[in-house]
């Protein structure tokens, strides 16, 4: 019976990681429901971007308070995870503080973890205050009701509990406290447990230890369902982000082919389609559902952590319009999740559910409110591009449905007829020089 | 005004140094035409050998593309490219950041590869090369510069317009949201040609109010559409008597008495 703890731990570990791997596979499958897009060029620039923006958090500090606190939590998260390695070894082999043979170095490491845990705890509490007491507006937009709001709070509570448990388990570890090394924070936490017998303390330590590691497994598996997925996806997302000037919108290659045919005097546009081409399904212009978007756009949606910086700088949103770039990303993720579930339920094939991203999630009113100013793209700390989704969906509205607002139809008719968005004759284009 | 066209140039067997892309706003909008003329005066002063396409110019297709009509955009682009390539155009300057962006970034893939400059970049270059000298004849006016999205965030050009303003002997004051944080005027993405969606404020009012907080004599812009929006904003906040909206080309032309 003496190995029961270790077996129990091994089972937990296998399930925790196994379930996580399963979800990652599903995540990958869903992202690649999107269309191909080649972003394999300029590798060195991409590595540099990822290092600077994801690893270095360079865009976070554009807002210094949130940015610096975030860096604390992020560093804490990465560095304290070294401790998880020890916890797993202890759990599997029944050792106690397997790394303590390192002596002074061990004390230094654990001491650093404790300080970080303390800082993370403080930061997370400040985050909670910013959300719930100061009620910073970007956390209270209308898309932040229900799960998105609670999701953010669950994450904060998770982190508070995990950090507290880490400190408690150190504080109640009597031999560890007796060495009085590597316990800069937990020695103060230990005061709370003053006067409790050693056996009880050991019991508290064991309970804290177990809840802590179980909490980590739960948190790991919560990621897929949560905005917290950004801790993983921020890296590929910044790596595969657009490197062209932000004003450069992609030219649709299929359109280019058609326009070239039209403009080529040698092409007989009334000729019958070439052999075999009759059956080809004509390419759909623009996007009305998530499968019309490319995989980077879908990865963007899963990467979004709903911080709302984009929405807080969006000129349309600031002036009370329906459009919120964050909501564009959230709705895209909700829809791709729905499509993914549909595929899972129908033996790997998508069964038409009568819904699509357009109208059922994102309305034309939102799409037409965008000024294409790129403020959202510039602001995103992990280089998400909501604008590209908006533009692809406008393309569908106009090219597949001719559903532009009336004034825009007039503008386009003018361009078509007289080469200017207004109704002036092209022959008058130089009149300004004599006025 | 003496404004040669490419057709005339070609007839004389000449190739100008640069094509001035006037753009639809610069050709037809009454306010923007003043910017066009101011820029031509500067080109004349610096003895720049330029030409325009005149009646052979057509919309770049920027507004059509951003409204979602990729087909119309590419039709426009390829027609323009055909014309420009026939004239063997190498270098283009324009006062419109939207044309600038489209010509510079979206035409190359369709066969139109040119060196493209926004007029603030071009004027700055003329000064740097000693072809144009400014005599700093303004007298300490407070000027705030509104960054056009398609010059700023879209193409990372924030300094050329500011360098020019600083050369004019004025007091450049920044709005709270400036450079890559600048707020859009509300005209981009084809919004210029339609009413705004339902909301509680016009974007141009929000931006103009921010500009007015800097207590400026002049709001400078580098875009004909921004100019229209900010001018509307000045009207709706009843500041027409105390605040002017001017393009940087106009600032320079006025200061130099052109």
């Amino acid at each position: 019976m003496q190995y029961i703890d270790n077996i129990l731990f091994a089972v937990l570990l296998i399930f925790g990681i196994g379930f996580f791997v399963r979800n990652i596979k599903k995540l990958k499958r869903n992202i690649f429901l999107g269309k191909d897009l080649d972003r394999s060029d300029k590798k060195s620039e991409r590595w540099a971007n990822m290092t600077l923006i994801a690893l270095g958090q360079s865009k976070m500090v554009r807002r210094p308070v949130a940015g610096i606190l975030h860096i604390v939590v992020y560093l804490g998260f990465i560095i304290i995870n070294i401790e998880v390695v020890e916890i797993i070894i202890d759990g599997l082999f029944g050792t106690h503080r397997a790394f303590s043979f390192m002596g002074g170095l061990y004390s230094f490491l654990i001491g650093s973890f404790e300080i970080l845990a303390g800082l993370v705890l403080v930061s997370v509490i400040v985050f909670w205050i910013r959300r719930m007491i100061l009620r910073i507006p970007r956390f209270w937009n209308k898309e932040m009701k229900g799960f998105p709001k609670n999701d953010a709070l669950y994450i904060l509570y998770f982190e508070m509990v995990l950090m507290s448990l880490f400190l408690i388990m150190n504080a109640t570890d009597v031999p560890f406290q007796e060495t009085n090394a590597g316990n800069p924070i937990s020695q103060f936490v230990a005061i709370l447990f003053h006067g409790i017998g050693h056996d009880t303390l050991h019991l508290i330590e064991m309970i804290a230890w177990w809840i802590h590691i179980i909490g980590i497994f739960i948190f790991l598996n919560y990621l897929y369902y949560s905005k917290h997925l950004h801790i993983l996806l921020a890296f590929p997302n910044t790596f595969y982000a657009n490197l062209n000037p932000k004003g450069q919108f992609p030219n649709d290659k299929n359109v280019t082919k058609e326009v070239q045919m039209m403009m080529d005097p040698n092409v007989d546009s009334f000729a019958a389609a070439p052999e075999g081409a009759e059956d080809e399904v004509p390419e759909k212009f623009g996007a009305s559902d998530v499968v019309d978007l490319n995989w980077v756009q879908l990865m963007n949606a899963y990467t979004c952590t709903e911080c709302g910086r984009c929405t807080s700088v969006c000129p349309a949103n600031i002036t009370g319009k329906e459009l919120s770039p964050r909501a564009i990303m959230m709705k895209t993720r909700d829809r791709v999740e729905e499509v993914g579930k549909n595929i899972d339920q129908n033996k790997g094939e998508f069964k038409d559910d009568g819904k699509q991203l357009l109208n059922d999630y994102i309305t034309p009113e939102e799409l037409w409110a965008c000024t294409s100013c790129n403020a959202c793209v510039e602001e995103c700390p992990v280089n998400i591009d909501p604008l590209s989704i908006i533009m692809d969906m406008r393309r569908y509205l106009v090219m597949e449905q001719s559903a532009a607002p009336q004034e825009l139809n007039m503008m386009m008719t003018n361009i078509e007829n007289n080469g200017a968005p207004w109704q002036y004759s092209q022959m008058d284009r130089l009149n300004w020089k004599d006025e | 005004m003496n404004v040669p066209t490419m057709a005339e140039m070609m007839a004389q067997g000449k190739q100008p140094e640069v094509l001035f892309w006037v753009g639809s706003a610069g050709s037809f909008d009454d306010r923007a035409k003043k910017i066009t003329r101011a820029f031509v005066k500067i080109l004349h002063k610096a003895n720049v050998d330029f030409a325009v396409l005149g009646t052979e110019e057509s919309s770049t297709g920027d507004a059509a593309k951003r409204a979602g009509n990729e087909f119309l955009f590419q039709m426009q682009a390829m027609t323009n490219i055909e014309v420009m390539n026939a004239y063997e155009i190498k270098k283009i300057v324009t006062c419109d950041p939207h044309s600038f962006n489209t010509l510079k970034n979206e035409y190359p893939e369709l066969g139109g590869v040119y060196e493209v400059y926004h007029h603030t970049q071009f004027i700055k270059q003329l000064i740097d090369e000693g072809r144009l000298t400014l005599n700093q004849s303004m007298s300490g006016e407070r000027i705030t510069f509104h960054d056009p999205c398609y010059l700023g965030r879209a193409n990372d050009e924030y300094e050329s317009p500011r360098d020019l303003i600083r050369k004019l002997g004025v007091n450049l004051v920044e709005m709270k949201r400036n450079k890559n944080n600048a707020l859009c005027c509300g005209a981009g993405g084809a919004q210029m040609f339609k009413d705004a969606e339902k909301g509680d404020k016009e974007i141009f009012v929000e931006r103009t109010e921010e500009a007015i907080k800097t207590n400026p004599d002049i709001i400078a812009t580098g875009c004909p559409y921004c100019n229209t929006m900010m001018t509307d904003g000045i009207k709706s906040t009843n500041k027409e008597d105390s605040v002017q909206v001017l393009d940087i080309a106009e600032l320079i032309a006025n200061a130099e008495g052109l």
Side-chain angles (χ1 to χ4, degrees):
Chain A
M1 285 300 281
Q2 58 172 321
Y3 295 118
I4 192 140
D5 281 1
N6 311 38
I7 293 166
L8 194 64
F9 185 87
V11 170
L12 259 176
L13 182 71
I14 290 165
F15 269 96
I17 292 177
F19 200 63
F20 174 69
V21 169
R22 204 187 74 131
N23 276 339
I24 291 297
K25 279 186 182 155
K26 195 183 284 182
L27 173 67
K28 202 176 151 197
R29 196 267 323 264
N30 286 357
I31 287 174
F32 287 108
L33 289 174
K35 288 195 197 164
D36 284 349
L37 178 71
D38 185 13
R39 287 267 168 93
S40 58
D41 58 335
K42 303 183 194 167
K43 286 261 163 48
S44 58
E45 203 179 330
R46 295 187 181 283
W47 280 109
N49 256 354
M50 189 179 85
T51 310
L52 197 69
I53 299 169
L55 196 67
Q57 310 250 308
S58 59
K59 288 178 88 179
M60 280 305 294
V61 286
R62 282 173 69 128
R63 307 208 178 171
V65 177
I68 290 165
L69 290 171
H70 185 270
I71 288 175
V72 169
V73 174
Y74 161 78
L75 282 179
F77 172 81
I78 291 184
I79 297 171
I80 298 172
N81 268 333
I82 301 172
E83 170 64 3
V84 175
V85 177
E86 186 187 39
I87 291 175
I88 290 174
I89 291 170
D90 284 351
L92 284 176
F93 303 106
T95 48
H96 180 68
R97 296 190 181 270
F99 294 167
S100 54
F101 68 87
M102 291 188 277
L105 178 64
Y106 184 74
S107 302
F108 171 76
L109 281 175
I110 296 290
S112 314
F113 299 157
E114 283 204 354
I115 290 169
L116 277 166
L119 287 171
V120 169
L121 197 54
V122 171
S123 303
V124 171
I125 291 169
V126 176
F127 280 153
W128 187 87
I129 292 171
R130 282 163 56 87
R131 257 173 212 272
M132 302 308 286
I133 311 279
L134 303 176
R135 295 172 78 98
I136 290 177
R138 66 187 158 104
F139 301 131
W140 292 87
N141 292 75
K142 69 175 181 180
E143 66 266 24
M144 294 309 286
K145 293 199 178 100
F147 179 70
K149 177 187 165 212
N150 293 332
D151 184 18
L153 296 176
Y154 296 154
I155 293 161
L156 295 180
Y157 298 148
F158 249 112
E159 286 173 7
M160 286 180 206
V161 169
L162 287 179
M163 292 303 125
S164 304
L165 287 169
F166 174 68
L167 292 173
I168 289 171
M169 92 196 186
N170 282 357
T172 51
D173 184 340
V174 176
F176 174 71
Q177 289 298 328
E178 276 169 355
T179 63
N180 203 20
N183 61 344
I185 307 277
S186 63
Q187 59 180 296
F188 299 107
V189 181
I191 298 169
L192 298 173
F193 299 97
H194 205 72
I196 298 176
H198 281 197
D199 288 346
T200 318
L201 280 181
H202 185 65
L203 187 68
I204 297 174
E205 185 202 347
M206 289 322 293
I207 292 172
W209 189 93
W210 276 99
I211 301 179
H212 177 253
I213 191 66
I214 291 171
I216 287 175
F217 287 142
I218 294 175
F219 199 38
L220 182 70
N221 281 292
Y222 180 61
L223 286 185
Y224 176 74
Y225 307 96
S226 161
K227 77 191 194 79
H228 214 53
L229 200 47
H230 77 289
I231 62 170
L232 300 175
L233 288 182
F235 295 88
N237 202 72
T238 46
F239 186 87
Y240 290 108
N242 176 36
L243 297 177
N244 293 330
K246 289 192 189 68
Q248 178 181 342
F249 294 7
N251 296 326
D252 190 320
K253 300 267 187 308
N254 293 305
V255 173
T256 310
K257 264 186 264 166
E258 278 195 40
V259 173
Q260 272 164 347
M261 288 239 294
M262 281 183 66
M263 291 183 65
D264 185 349
N266 300 320
V267 173
D268 177 5
S269 42
F270 296 104
E275 198 75 22
E278 302 98 330
D279 306 329
E280 273 177 34
V281 184
E283 189 76 28
K284 176 171 162 185
F285 294 117
S288 64
D289 209 347
V290 286
V291 291
D292 307 324
L293 296 171
N294 64 53
W295 67 274
V296 173
Q297 290 170 317
L298 299 187
M299 180 169 64
N300 279 181
Y302 276 111
T303 308
C304 176
T305 196
E306 300 164 16
C307 70
R309 292 182 182 208
C310 53
T311 294
S312 73
V313 296
C314 171
N317 193 276
I318 289 170
T319 56
K321 317 294 193 287
E322 271 292 307
L323 174 63
S324 159
R326 169 174 55 189
I328 298 288
M329 302 319 298
M330 292 167 69
K331 290 169 180 183
T332 303
R333 178 170 175 174
D334 287 348
R335 175 58 183 163
V336 72
E337 267 298 293
E338 185 177 57
V339 170
K341 283 200 186 104
N342 181 313
I343 291 171
D344 290 336
Q345 280 160 9
N346 294 298
K347 302 184 188 84
E349 221 168 301
F350 178 71
K351 221 166 125 192
D352 189 10
D353 58 357
K355 286 204 239 172
Q356 53 177 2
L357 184 61
L358 181 68
N359 296 322
D360 297 305
Y361 287 84
I362 297 172
T363 62
E365 184 183 342
E366 294 166 62
L367 300 172
W368 290 119
C370 174
T371 68
S372 74
C373 75
N374 263 308
C376 55
V377 184
E378 179 82 31
E379 191 68 31
C380 180
V382 290
N383 283 11
I384 290 169
D385 185 353
L387 176 55
S388 71
I389 296 180
I390 295 172
M391 283 300 142
D392 284 354
M393 294 185 76
R394 276 191 184 181
R395 218 174 257 188
Y396 176 84
L397 281 173
V398 171
M399 297 180 72
E400 295 283 347
Q401 300 201 310
S402 306
Q406 193 43 37
E407 301 135 298
L408 289 187
N409 280 331
M410 278 160 55
M411 177 270 286
M412 292 187 280
T413 308
N414 287 331
I415 292 180
E416 228 173 300
N417 293 338
N418 44 276
W422 302 282
Q423 214 172 12
Y424 295 107
S425 164
Q426 190 163 2
M427 287 303 119
D428 294 336
R429 231 180 148 92
L430 199 49
N431 290 2
W432 56 266
K433 81 177 170 110
D434 301 314
E435 283 171 12
Chain B
M1 274 183 142
N2 177 26
V3 182
T5 62
M6 286 304 302
E8 289 160 10
M9 282 276 190
M10 199 180 199
Q12 296 162 22
K14 288 188 207 157
Q15 181 70 15
E17 175 193 342
V18 63
L19 169 74
F20 172 28
W21 183 274
V22 184
S24 297
S27 303
F28 293 122
D29 181 90
D30 282 333
R31 180 67 191 81
K33 282 192 262 187
K34 292 184 187 163
I35 302 170
T36 306
R37 285 192 291 264
F39 182 58
V40 168
K41 286 176 193 164
I42 296 169
L43 291 175
H44 281 154
K45 182 177 157 80
N47 286 319
V48 176
D49 181 18
F50 75 98
V52 298
L53 285 171
T55 56
E56 289 183 281
E57 189 188 279
S58 186
S59 162
T60 56
D62 156 79
K65 187 178 179 82
R66 273 130 193 101
N69 197 336
E70 180 71 7
F71 195 81
L72 180 55
F73 160 69
Q74 292 202 15
M75 286 290 288
Q76 288 299 118
M78 288 195 208
T79 313
N80 284 323
I81 288 168
E82 213 169 67
V83 172
M84 288 193 284
N85 286 358
Y87 285 124
E88 295 177 12
I89 303 289
K90 300 276 179 300
K91 198 169 172 182
I92 305 176
V93 61
T94 176
C95 302
D96 172 9
H98 296 264
S99 296
F100 165 71
N101 176 67
T102 303
L103 293 168
K104 179 172 182 283
N105 296 321
E106 290 164 358
Y107 274 33
E109 219 178 62
L110 302 172
V113 185
Y114 320 104
E115 224 182 293
V116 188
Y117 296 91
H118 185 246
H119 67 314
T120 57
Q121 298 173 322
F122 193 77
I123 296 171
K124 185 173 179 289
Q125 222 177 56
L126 292 176
I127 294 170
D128 291 346
E129 290 166 359
R131 295 170 67 185
L132 179 70
T133 31
L134 301 184
N135 300 313
Q136 291 209 7
S137 52
M138 292 182 78
S139 45
E141 285 91 340
R142 279 174 79 84
I143 296 190
T144 190
F145 178 68
H146 164 76
D147 289 278
C149 302
Y150 276 83
L151 185 64
R153 272 187 297 270
N155 288 293
D156 290 317
E157 176 58 89
Y158 304 105
E159 290 311 320
S160 289
R162 286 180 171 77
D163 282 350
L164 292 180
I165 294 173
R166 283 191 205 100
K167 285 188 203 300
L168 290 169
V170 295
N171 183 7
L172 175 63
V173 284
E174 293 289 354
M175 288 182 244
K176 187 163 173 256
R177 289 172 282 197
N178 63 67
K179 297 181 185 168
N180 62 355
N181 289 320
L183 184 76
C184 174
C185 70
Q191 296 293 342
M192 178 75 188
F193 307 101
K194 62 184 263 298
D195 284 327
E197 271 56 36
K198 193 164 58 56
D200 43 48
K201 199 177 193 179
E202 291 285 356
I203 295 171
F204 66 81
V205 174
E206 169 85 12
R207 184 54 167 170
T208 311
E209 283 173 357
E210 185 176 4
I212 288 171
K213 276 193 196 140
T214 67
N215 205 12
D217 301 308
I218 296 167
I219 299 171
T221 68
C223 169
Y225 300 102
C226 295
N227 194 308
T228 303
M229 298 312 255
M230 300 306 279
T231 306
D232 285 353
I234 291 294
K235 281 180 198 149
S236 71
T237 47
N238 294 318
K239 293 277 179 189
E240 295 141 284
D241 299 331
S242 53
V243 184
Q244 273 184 296
V245 180
L246 292 171
D247 191 272
I248 289 178
E250 294 176 301
L251 282 178
I252 294 172
N254 292 350
E256 298 298 308
L258 301 175

